[in-house]
Amino acid sequence: TRGCRVTMIVSRSVENTLKEPVRMESGGILAFMWQAGPLHYAVLAEGMAPGRYDKIARGVRKATIDRLPLGQEPPLPRLIGSME
């Protein structure tokens, strides 16, 4: 362990308020916020090197944009015919 703490927050959005990702730093806490579809995301870190944090936060953002929203699973393939 490196002694850092990372928190991810996800909330539903009523409107598109985050047009661009936002990065903030205050009192040793790093924050990166963005919107993907109807969800707002924030990744917060305390005690982490800024370069390492940026790589993690941008990777999480990319995953939320490239993947389905939380709670939505891809449909299972339909089986046709016998299972024998």
Side-chain angles (χ1 to χ4, degrees), residues 36-78:
L39 300 175
H40 279 170
Y41 294 88
V43 175
L44 311 169
E46 184 175 7
M48 182 178 283
R52 181 176 171 85
Y53 168 76
D54 286 341
K55 288 178 186 176
I56 291 170
R58 291 184 192 287
V60 171
R61 178 176 181 263
K62 182 176 182 340
T64 64
I65 292 170
D66 291 349
R67 305 284 188 258
L68 294 172
L70 291 175
Q72 289 187 8
E73 297 295 326
L76 293 174
R78 295 176 71 181

Side-chain angles (χ1 to χ4, degrees), residues 21-37:
V22 176
R23 186 187 186 284
M24 298 171 34
E25 186 172 349
S26 177
I29 297 176
L30 302 167
F32 189 66
M33 297 161 282
W34 69 95
Q35 184 169 349

